[in-house]
Amino acid sequence: MKFIALTILSVLVVVFVNPFTPFWIVMICIGMISALLGAKGFSSFLAGGLGMGLAWLGQTVFISYQTGSPLPDQMAEIMGLGSGVFLSMITGILGFLLGGFSAYSGSLFRRLFKKRPDNLYRG
Amino acid sequence: MKYISFLLVLAITITLAVLISRPIGPVPPVAPLIDPNHGFWQNMYSEDELIEEELSLPDLSNPVTVVYDENLIPHIFAANKKDLYMAQGYITAKHRLWQMEFQTRAAAGRLSEIVGDIALDLDRMTRRKGLGYGAELGMEFLEKNDPETLEYLKSYAAGVNQYISQLSPGQTPVEYKILNYRPEEWTPYKSLLLLKYMSDMLVGDRDLEYTNLRKILGAQMLDKLYPDLPNEPDPVIEAGKVWDFDAIPVTKPDSINYPDETWKMDPLPQPVEGIGSNNWAVAPSKTKNGNPILANDPHLGLNLPSLWYSLQLTTPEYSVKGASLPGALGIISGFNQNIAWGVTNATKDARDWYKITFQSEDRKAYKYGDEWRPTTFRVEEIKIKGQEAFLDTVVYTHYGPVVYDKNFRGDRQDVNFALKWTVHMGSNEQKTFLLLNEAKDHKDYNIALDNFTAPAQNFVFASKSGDIAMRIQGKFALKWPEQGKFLMDGSDPKMEWQTYIPNDQNPQTLNPERGFVASANQHPVDSNYPYYVFDNSYEHYRNRRINGRLRQMDQITIDDMKALQFDDYYQQASEILPTMLSLLGDAFKENDKAQEYLSQLKEWDFYADPNQKAPTLYYIWWNDLYGQIWKKWDEFGVPVVKPNSYQTIQFLLNEPEAKIFDVENTSEVETAKDHVQKSFQMMLDEMGKWEEENGDYAWANYKNTTIQHLVPQFKAFSVSHVYTGGGAGIVNATSGRHGASWRMVVELGDKPTAFGVYPGGQSGNPGSKYYKNFIPVWAEGKYLNFNLREESEAEGVLFQTTLK
């Protein structure tokens, strides 16, 4: 449940916050949401990553579909990176890494303040 | 443990974020480039997908309406001129900001700031030529003499700056993102700089080369190979024109001491062959509708974003439309309700070089007559991306900057040449265009032109009232014969330019009897004109074709004029190819391939249309032949200029056995025939190789017309292999990299009927569908409707914006 919530919230942050702020603000937001939700370790990484990665990938696909502009292929040629589709994928992967590590950081940050359960028998 | 893992992951996260925010070597920061919300993805939207109905431009006195037609051509309706130019600045920046900025940085010698030390030599050259110095003098001139124009320049700058201040990261032109820099403030100075840059693009000189040739060949041979005027000139101003003024006397000094040795400096870059233009106007008596028709097509480097940006500028008093230069005010080539005008380059040796004798090593004084005059020093600080700034000290004399010295392009300590150039004289070219924009008749046109100094232009004119005119305007030094053809001794005051030809004595004509005026960069006048006229680069072919056609034509329509602009007739080939074929004789009878080529050449109608094969064969053959004939010139070991194609062809036609064809260090005596045969063999070899590598050698394939992005490395933003005919020296002057950068035809009836097109598009954004959408139209010789629009006209509106 937390996984899905974090994914969806990350997507929403990209869609609604990213247009007005640089990417690192988005990273901080995702980290904070991850901490607040209390998503667990590696699953927070996947959720934040999928959220931001899919959102970025989706945006590139959406703009390409909407405009039909040849720019991605041209940019890929100038950057020596094959095709525009490949650039979309790179954008998605970069989004995944940024979102993932942000969420993971948030998750680990929350763990710092989590008290150890004291009613456990520790032998 | 949990602290360590948190800090570790946080460190990775931050490192990642920092890494993609910073440039790595030449690679720009990745994140701002590919973030879909701010990076290049945002540049994929075309202008009609980003419509804003209202934009804020608070300095306007009244709201301004901008109506875009379906080609994204803005029609700006303003209450007064100040608002008009502010809106022009804003709207031009909206579509062409990066280009405007890039061109003025190039003109200021500041490219190293953007691209690093790879541009250092170019920047030094630009600065040593004194373009910035010229623009500063232009500013001083305006401050003293023309506060009104300065006021408009400030309005324009305010408009540009308002746009820059509103610019979102997403809409920042993609070139800034790739090259990782930001737009900076626009100033009136930059507008002036841009006009100086045009001078630089259009003006050359061959003083160094002629000096060397004079030493090597002798004055007599030089005159024979490089005559000042061809035998049968077809000049800009009709031959036989009677000049009804008393010429100012000028006397050639009795003894002239030219710096008489050969010089081995690397000369300044020259305007490329193929840079030139056509313009003409036909009188009502020669047209079908009884209205004058005017045509203009300037030939310049074919670039994207296009050098030209089209718009209509309207105030309650006038409405003008045509092509503007992004960065300069008003329309440069266009028309209004009453008149139309156009420009072609009219170079006339506007640059001269003076050898400077310094008093001592410190270069603080130089010899002038019997005295030592003090120099001034100008330190140019060239900032370089990623490196320390480079300081270049340029010495200035009263002639101008010492371009060549021990620090630049001179391998000898005693090489010091100062450049005298009309660009370094305070002047007000901008005013000419502002006045032309609202001119009503021939008198207004003349007043406007009086402000124009450089680069000298042939201004063609037509008015609704039926006048046609041509005036060659620039500030021309009154020179004695051969003054400035060679490097001169700057210590001798007799070598100075003494005065200038008064504006009313510049070559001009109004309603000549022949019923048309036309210019194509040829000699301005015939030998009747009382002043000395010289330039190395005059055209010999386009002018004769255009004038020949215009003489024949009658009942002319707009379509006829469009067809003439797109005329592919290869005049040069028509004059020399038959002789080349006859000199070749039967030499290649046994060679099947040669016979195939020869039959194509023999059947050719001399039109360089895109699908023709013969133009390719002729072009290669002629260039090889020309190269063979003058190959010995390369062995002089110093810079020289070879006799032009026209003179070479006169020798081939008239004196095929002449001594100039002999290659001196061989045992035989070569004639034209030997060169023709040898060059044909070279052509066979080249064609064999070309066909093997590229296949079809149709003219369009071979010449590969390419419209190149201003940063040549951005190949993906360029358009190559444009299927179109023409070539250098042809009326449709479209060669590989140069050609008609703007075509306009206007008929001045009750309401003007106008057509125009340029190889590009209104948008400077490579991601926009308006970036290159005119190219196919242009390539086929078609045009866009350029009629004046009313604000209320609803048809063909893409969208409309109000600035307030």
Side-chain angles (χ1 to χ4, degrees):
Chain A
M1 200 54 213
K2 279 181 183 169
F3 181 89
I4 294 174
L6 180 54
T7 308
I8 292 174
L9 285 172
S10 299
V11 170
L12 292 178
V13 168
V14 171
V15 172
F16 292 105
V17 178
N18 198 181
F20 311 101
T21 61
F23 72 98
W24 53 268
I25 300 272
V26 174
M27 290 174 71
I28 293 173
C29 290
I30 292 176
M32 280 163 55
I33 293 168
S34 169
L36 289 172
L37 281 176
K40 291 257 160 34
F42 190 65
S43 98
S44 74
F45 178 81
L46 278 181
L50 277 179
M52 188 162 172
L54 283 176
W56 271 20
L57 179 70
Q59 285 179 324
T60 67
V61 173
F62 177 70
I63 300 175
S64 302
Y65 174 75
Q66 203 184 8
T67 64
S69 168
L71 195 59
D73 285 333
Q74 295 170 346
M75 289 296 293
E77 192 187 321
I78 289 170
M79 294 158 93
L81 289 174
S83 71
V85 174
F86 188 61
L87 262 186
S88 275
M89 280 161 55
I90 290 186
T91 306
I93 291 168
L94 187 69
F96 179 86
L97 291 174
L98 296 176
F101 277 107
S102 304
Y104 197 16
S105 302
S107 157
L108 292 177
F109 180 73
R110 181 184 172 114
R111 213 174 65 172
L112 297 181
F113 303 101
K114 200 170 156 191
K115 279 195 181 152
R116 286 186 178 210
D118 51 10
N119 55 351
L120 277 182
Y121 175 68
R122 285 174 197 273
Chain B
M1 181 61 202
K2 58 187 180 182
Y3 285 95
I4 293 174
S5 56
F6 167 67
L7 287 175
L8 186 70
V9 171
L10 186 67
I12 294 176
T13 311
I14 293 175
T15 310
L16 192 63
V18 170
L19 213 63
I20 61 170
S21 310
R22 293 267 170 88
I24 305 162
V27 180
V30 176
L33 187 64
I34 72 168
D35 170 353
N37 294 282
H38 307 291
F40 78 87
W41 301 99
Q42 288 294 319
N43 298 97
M44 293 166 70
Y45 291 105
S46 295
E47 287 70 7
D48 60 340
E49 293 158 339
L50 298 165
I51 296 173
E52 289 146 311
E53 284 174 358
E54 234 181 79
L55 288 164
S56 156
L57 195 46
D59 292 342
L60 289 172
S61 66
N62 289 286
V64 171
T65 308
V66 184
V67 180
Y68 290 91
D69 74 5
E70 53 212 2
N71 298 310
L72 199 70
I73 297 173
H75 299 67
I76 302 179
F77 298 90
N80 56 57
K81 285 193 269 181
K82 209 163 166 251
D83 285 354
L84 184 72
Y85 295 125
M86 192 177 294
Q88 187 186 4
Y90 186 95
I91 296 294
T92 306
K94 195 166 170 56
H95 296 141
R96 299 290 186 85
L97 178 63
W98 176 79
Q99 168 193 11
M100 292 165 69
E101 265 237 300
F102 187 78
Q103 285 172 341
T104 43
R105 289 208 201 213
R110 292 179 54 200
L111 288 178
S112 303
E113 287 174 24
I114 307 169
V115 299
D117 62 1
I118 179 174
L120 181 59
D121 202 50
L122 181 66
D123 281 344
R124 288 187 69 191
M125 160 88 70
T126 309
R127 292 177 187 229
R128 296 186 78 96
K129 278 190 290 199
L131 291 186
Y133 169 70
E136 282 165 25
L137 292 176
M139 278 304 287
E140 274 173 35
F141 183 90
L142 288 184
E143 277 156 14
K144 269 192 218 134
N145 306 301
D146 190 4
E148 193 194 1
T149 299
L150 187 58
E151 200 56 36
Y152 295 146
L153 283 162
K154 283 181 183 163
S155 294
Y156 184 93
V160 176
N161 291 331
Q162 184 72 29
Y163 178 71
I164 294 175
S165 70
Q166 294 169 2
L167 189 60
S168 68
Q171 287 313 308
T172 301
V174 70
E175 290 92 344
Y176 288 112
K177 296 178 186 173
I178 303 173
L179 295 169
N180 186 31
Y181 71 109
R182 293 276 308 153
E184 58 172 33
E185 199 193 2
W186 189 266
T187 59
Y189 170 77
K190 292 188 179 178
S191 294
L192 298 191
L193 198 52
L194 182 80
L195 293 168
K196 300 289 170 197
Y197 194 43
M198 294 305 292
S199 265
D200 187 44
M201 222 185 278
L202 294 169
V203 172
D205 72 81
R206 296 293 195 173
D207 299 7
L208 170 64
E209 291 89 335
Y210 273 103
T211 300
N212 287 338
L213 281 169
R214 189 171 165 277
K215 178 78 182 166
I216 295 166
L217 302 173
Q220 204 184 349
M221 194 62 176
L222 189 69
D223 285 345
K224 184 176 158 73
L225 293 175
Y226 306 82
D228 286 346
L229 203 64
N231 280 337
E232 291 166 31
D234 200 342
V236 175
I237 303 300
E238 66 278 9
K241 163 104 184 170
V242 179
W243 304 99
D244 54 1
F245 56 80
D246 293 324
I248 301 167
V250 56
T251 42
K252 192 169 181 171
D254 300 333
S255 61
I256 300 169
N257 291 315
Y258 288 117
D260 207 12
E261 36 184 324
T262 56
W263 299 91
K264 204 182 170 173
M265 285 105 60
D266 199 1
L268 298 189
Q270 300 293 323
V272 197
E273 195 188 347
I275 286 205
S277 310
N278 306 321
N279 66 19
W280 62 81
V282 287
S285 60
K286 271 181 94 76
T287 65
K288 190 164 175 219
N289 297 337
N291 302 318
I293 303 177
L294 179 140
N296 184 203
D297 57 298
H299 315 150
L300 294 162
L302 299 175
N303 285 322
L304 285 168
S306 170
L307 187 65
W308 302 104
Y309 177 72
S310 292
L311 32 69
Q312 174 178 317
L313 301 172
T314 302
T315 70
E317 284 77 41
Y318 66 96
S319 205
V320 60
K321 191 167 181 178
S324 73
L325 291 171
L329 276 62
I331 300 293
I332 304 293
S333 165
F335 64 97
N336 60 29
Q337 297 102 320
N338 297 301
I339 69 148
W341 77 95
V343 287
T344 67
N345 195 27
T347 185
K348 193 170 123 183
D349 198 22
R351 286 201 313 217
D352 279 338
W353 296 90
Y354 289 92
K355 186 173 191 309
I356 300 299
T357 312
F358 287 118
Q359 189 172 25
S360 61
E361 279 281 291
D362 63 14
R363 305 191 292 175
K364 283 187 178 146
Y366 61 101
K367 191 165 191 271
Y368 186 70
D370 297 330
E371 53 175 320
W372 294 98
R373 283 205 177 185
T375 57
T376 51
F377 289 79
R378 186 181 160 102
V379 179
E380 301 280 0
E381 184 188 6
I382 306 175
K383 298 196 178 108
I384 305 171
K385 188 177 184 175
Q387 288 180 38
E388 263 183 55
F390 181 90
L391 295 179
D392 201 13
T393 304
V394 188
V395 182
Y396 276 70
T397 65
H398 77 284
Y399 293 111
V402 180
V403 179
Y404 298 117
D405 62 16
K406 59 186 176 185
N407 299 322
F408 191 72
R409 302 224 164 176
D411 50 5
R412 284 167 41 177
Q413 289 292 312
D414 65 340
V415 167
N416 293 295
F417 281 95
L419 172 62
K420 175 127 181 163
W421 187 7
T422 43
V423 152
H424 301 144
M425 295 165 195
S427 60
N428 193 358
E429 285 76 19
Q430 181 66 72
K431 177 93 169 179
T432 297
F433 295 108
L434 296 185
L435 291 177
L436 278 173
N437 280 207
E438 50 182 313
K440 292 192 175 70
D441 52 27
H442 184 251
K443 193 175 107 254
D444 291 350
Y445 152 88
N446 267 331
I447 294 170
L449 263 52
D450 285 341
N451 295 288
F452 199 88
T453 293
Q457 299 287 304
N458 304 303
F459 284 89
V460 70
F461 167 87
S463 71
K464 192 167 136 182
S465 57
D467 287 332
I468 58 165
M470 179 73 76
R471 174 166 157 192
I472 303 174
Q473 178 57 30
K475 190 169 182 176
F476 295 116
L478 202 172
K479 296 182 179 180
W480 34 264
E482 298 208 313
Q483 184 178 15
K485 188 169 179 175
F486 311 104
L487 303 172
M488 292 183 283
D489 182 359
S491 67
D492 183 353
K494 287 191 303 234
M495 297 294 120
E496 286 269 19
W497 296 359
Q498 286 153 14
T499 182
Y500 296 91
I501 298 174
N503 275 333
D504 60 0
Q505 297 185 4
N506 276 340
Q508 49 202 295
T509 185
L510 171 67
N511 299 324
E513 215 169 291
R514 64 181 182 178
F516 70 89
V517 291
S519 78
N521 320 105
Q522 76 267 42
H523 293 77
V525 285
D526 68 5
S527 53
N528 286 343
Y529 187 65
Y531 300 120
Y532 174 64
V533 173
F534 163 75
D535 198 84
N536 173 63
S537 64
Y538 289 130
E539 170 68 33
H540 293 82
Y541 292 99
R542 281 182 286 120
N543 57 321
R544 288 186 293 135
R545 173 68 178 170
I546 292 169
N547 290 354
R549 291 289 298 132
L550 289 176
R551 278 187 198 103
Q552 286 167 3
M553 289 163 104
D554 209 7
Q555 294 285 306
I556 294 171
T557 62
I558 281 194
D559 284 342
D560 294 334
M561 299 291 81
K562 288 180 180 171
L564 185 54
Q565 283 191 331
F566 205 56
D567 179 88
D568 282 343
Y569 190 71
Y570 209 149
Q571 181 94 20
Q572 183 194 320
S574 77
E575 289 175 10
I576 188 57
L577 182 58
T579 304
M580 284 160 70
L581 289 169
S582 88
L583 284 171
L584 185 69
D586 287 338
F588 290 82
K589 207 165 49 185
E590 311 295 323
N591 183 329
D592 288 346
K593 201 70 201 172
Q595 287 308 313
E596 185 191 322
Y597 292 154
L598 282 172
S599 72
Q600 285 170 350
L601 284 168
K602 281 173 188 159
E603 284 160 21
W604 185 27
D605 59 4
F606 300 118
Y607 280 86
D609 293 329
N611 60 336
Q612 294 252 30
K613 290 182 189 302
T616 307
L617 301 172
Y618 167 75
Y619 179 84
I620 299 177
W621 189 10
W622 166 254
N623 280 315
D624 285 338
L625 173 57
Y626 178 85
Q628 273 304 302
I629 295 172
W630 304 118
K631 202 166 78 177
K632 49 195 174 188
W633 257 231
D634 298 333
E635 288 156 19
F636 295 147
V638 289
V640 293
V641 56
K642 294 173 178 177
N644 63 35
S645 298
Y646 179 80
Q647 284 309 325
T648 309
I649 286 173
Q650 301 316 303
F651 286 118
L652 284 166
L653 293 175
N654 305 324
E655 304 171 55
E657 314 271 316
K659 196 167 169 289
I660 53 151
F661 293 113
D662 185 31
V663 184
E664 271 139 22
N665 52 14
T666 59
S667 52
E668 302 104 76
V669 177
E670 283 84 2
T671 64
K673 196 181 176 74
D674 298 294
H675 293 298
V676 166
Q677 292 182 353
K678 176 136 195 232
S679 57
F680 189 81
Q681 181 59 53
M682 291 168 73
M683 186 267 274
L684 283 182
D685 298 343
E686 268 171 68
M687 279 304 299
K689 215 169 139 206
W690 205 88
E691 278 200 82
E692 201 181 290
E693 284 167 14
N694 305 286
D696 183 16
Y697 58 94
W699 181 228
N701 279 353
Y702 179 77
K703 74 169 172 151
N704 184 15
T705 296
T706 301
I707 304 166
Q708 198 174 63
H709 189 272
L710 286 171
V711 179
Q713 287 77 7
F714 295 173
K715 279 208 182 76
F717 296 160
S718 306
V719 176
S720 63
H721 291 97
V722 179
Y723 189 78
T724 194
I730 298 175
V731 179
N732 172 16
T734 309
S735 59
R737 288 280 307 112
H738 296 85
S741 60
W742 158 242
R743 291 192 184 111
M744 172 181 77
V745 180
V746 188
E747 175 167 351
L748 288 157
D750 281 342
K751 274 187 169 179
T753 310
F755 294 91
V757 72
Y758 63 84
Q762 287 287 93
S763 173
N765 172 16
S768 163
K769 57 175 172 276
Y770 300 105
Y771 173 67
K772 54 186 182 188
N773 56 324
F774 298 167
I775 294 176
V777 184
W778 171 86
E780 283 184 40
K782 295 190 175 140
Y783 292 75
L784 308 170
N785 177 343
F786 260 71
N787 288 344
L788 292 173
R789 287 184 73 98
E790 303 282 340
E791 189 173 349
S792 54
E793 225 172 298
E795 208 181 310
V797 174
L798 190 67
F799 63 97
Q800 185 172 328
T801 304
T802 306
L803 308 177
K804 58 183 180 187

